Amino acid sequence: QVQLVESGGGLVQAGGSLRLSCAVSGRTFSSYAMGWFRQAPGKEREFVAGISWSGFNTYYADSVKGRFTISRDNAKNTVYLQMNSLKPEDTAVYYCAAGFSPLSTGGSPSTDFRSWGQGTQVTVSS
């Protein structure tokens, strides 16, 4: 089991940028695929981005491709989500998630993400 703590959320104007961080406790961080999800009011939680244990493979929702970048630093047990060109429709609570997956395909939307953070609010004003 791992524990996840997100940070970096806030209020930003449309077109601006934010970087979310997710600090992960546990000695086997490098064995986990990581993902970012979001949930807007009245909507279901949706996959935003995922990354394999090595960082070699990344996956993105179509709605954020070209604007968001997921990365990880296994030495720091941290995963990041760089969000550029933010839009009001990106407003949501963003959650970090971890799924034990030593496979190179880990991080895809079909990954069994079992550990979740508490979420961080991102609000984009128009």
Side-chain angles (χ1 to χ4, degrees), residues 1-3 24-32 74 77:
Q1 285 287 357
V2 292
Q3 292 185 328
V24 183
S25 65
R27 295 176 295 174
T28 58
F29 174 69
S30 60
S31 297
Y32 282 80
N74 285 350
N77 280 22

Side-chain angles (χ1 to χ4, degrees), residues 8-22:
L11 174 64
V12 64
Q13 288 188 334
S17 298
L18 281 175
R19 188 175 84 153
L20 305 183
S21 299
C22 175

Side-chain angles (χ1 to χ4, degrees), residues 5-109:
V5 179
E6 303 99 333
S7 61
L11 174 64
V12 64
Q13 288 188 334
S17 298
L18 281 175
R19 188 175 84 153
L20 305 183
S21 299
C22 175
V24 183
S25 65
R27 295 176 295 174
T28 58
F29 174 69
S30 60
S31 297
Y32 282 80
M34 300 299 298
W36 285 97
F37 290 74
R38 67 187 181 187
Q39 187 167 20
K43 295 189 177 181
E44 293 188 353
R45 187 177 300 185
E46 65 174 353
F47 175 85
V48 174
I51 189 167
S52 61
W53 70 270
S54 65
F56 187 78
N57 289 318
T58 56
Y59 306 85
Y60 296 94
D62 288 343
S63 59
V64 307
K65 247 176 225 179
R67 301 188 297 122
F68 290 11
T69 302
I70 188 171
S71 62
R72 65 189 294 161
D73 185 336
N74 285 350
K76 294 183 178 179
N77 280 22
T78 302
V79 63
Y80 304 97
L81 185 68
Q82 178 66 45
M83 305 185 294
N84 298 329
S85 302
L86 283 161
K87 305 175 181 180
E89 52 262 44
D90 294 318
T91 295
V93 177
Y94 283 71
Y95 297 91
C96 177
F100 182 77
S101 176
L103 301 176
S104 61
T105 54
S108 71

